[in-house]
Amino acid sequence: MMLFGAITLFLLIAASGEENSMVFVRESETEAEPSDGVEVELVEDLSSDLDPDQPIFVPSRAWQKINPGQAVPSGLHYRVNLQTGEKEAKLLEDDESAATTKEPLWRDESGKFNFLSDEQLASKLSQLPDDGPSNQRPTDFTQFRPIDELRRDFEAMNQEIKTESEIVQDVVSSIKSTLDEGQLLAALDQLEYYTHGIDNANDFLLQYDGWPLLASLVNSSSSTAAVRRTAFRILSSSIQGNGELKIFTLKQGVMELVFRCLDQPSESPDVKKSALFTLSALVRNFPAAQMRLLQLGGIQTLCGAYARGGVPLRQLVSLLSDLMSESRAYLEREMPEADRSPQHADLVSQYASLNMGAHVGASCACDLVSDSLFVSDDLTQVESALHAVESIAGVCSPEQLPTWREKLKSVHYFLSQSDNEFAQELAFKTQQAAPLTHAGKRDEL
């Protein structure tokens, strides 16, 4: 039986205080196409609509009229006769009943219409078959074998079982002893894989002398560009999102190590890209590292490295715009009273002391954003540039903004001609960013 959306029917379960479950039918009439009837759906209780003077509806296998306000048992087949406008109900057919429930609770074992009391329902539920222990997790831990016993069994089979931490330790030993570049790079790639895990990264840098090993590989004149690049990638994977290792490596001088690499005019662009990624992993969500960056004149160092070549524009612009967005998120966002804490107040104080906006505005950042605003089929490049406009426009001088505005127009025209859904989304964002290129209130971050 088809359900017509033009007719809204509500079957309402009778008052929960009643022992027996009933439903009440109510209707809102609208125009509908002719039909014998239409199925309806069971919804919430509204027992106040029941008419206590009406007898309880007793179903049969034939359609019967339901009087207004009449209590109706649940689990029936309901319809509205659109020729008469009357609501009707009957017992489910055997196939429908079997599809709904194998043992309808409103009929007893003889098939006679009846309701189950709470006690009868509890008794029937207690008789349901047990799934058995196969679907349960074992709780007897004596059936598990200890790791030392497993080691002995594997050794007897000439097999060796090792934890990831032990594998990291073995890789470190092989790096210290190997002289072949191919083997060294293979070991470094394996180490990079394992240091994506926080525990493995902690063991590598804090227990297995990983920091002096990587620093020596980066500083050694005999190391190839591929080795130095991979060493920086291992540093990045180790400290990203790991507060303990961020603090440790910052104290050990990882930022100075990065700047020495970026200051080398002859250094490979791939190595500089990996070094910049290490710096990004260190300073994000770490105001102490951002303060150290400013104390070392790090933004000016990054600008100089870009001017000398080898530093990727998009990655550098993304770093500077993210630093601005991060400061703004803490300084401009109003925290609900319930979410405020001494730790959050301390972070707000740290970000306020950075005065990141003044440092970014006085650097090459505004020129870099202008350089990144160009027509490109690389939509991720366009997205990065638009994010930088939103983050940095407030700290740039009014004289720079007209150039941004003209470039935004060109980018918007190019994007609007594309049928690509992402390009259309970016075209809309260029329109949103355009007002930011008009001289206004300076950002005080």
Side-chain angles (χ1 to χ4, degrees), residues 401-411:
L401 300 182
T403 303
W404 290 22
R405 191 157 55 248
E406 293 303 316
K407 291 187 175 183
L408 277 175
K409 290 180 181 178
S410 299
V411 172

Side-chain angles (χ1 to χ4, degrees), residues 122-169:
S123 175
K124 284 187 173 290
L125 291 176
S126 66
Q127 297 172 13
L128 292 175
D130 188 3
D131 290 337
S134 59
N135 294 330
Q136 302 176 4
R137 297 187 64 182
T139 55
D140 182 9
F141 291 100
T142 59
Q143 61 184 292
F144 296 110
R145 301 172 64 188
I147 187 66
D148 292 335
E149 182 179 338
L150 291 174
R151 288 179 187 273
R152 288 194 297 269
D153 289 348
F154 274 95
E155 288 173 0
M157 296 185 293
N158 292 326
Q159 300 290 332
E160 187 176 6
I161 180 171
K162 289 185 177 182
T163 65
E164 289 191 352
S165 179
E166 291 172 333
I167 294 175
V168 170
Q169 187 176 20

Side-chain angles (χ1 to χ4, degrees), residues 37-70:
V38 58
E39 296 180 13
V40 295
E41 185 179 357
L42 191 65
V43 294
E44 291 296 332
D45 180 14
L46 188 59
S47 57
S48 60
D49 289 336
L50 290 175
D51 186 350
D53 296 330
Q54 286 285 344
I56 295 175
F57 180 87
V58 179
S60 66
R61 295 191 178 278
W63 290 108
Q64 299 182 72
K65 175 184 175 182
I66 303 173
N67 296 321
Q70 188 173 24

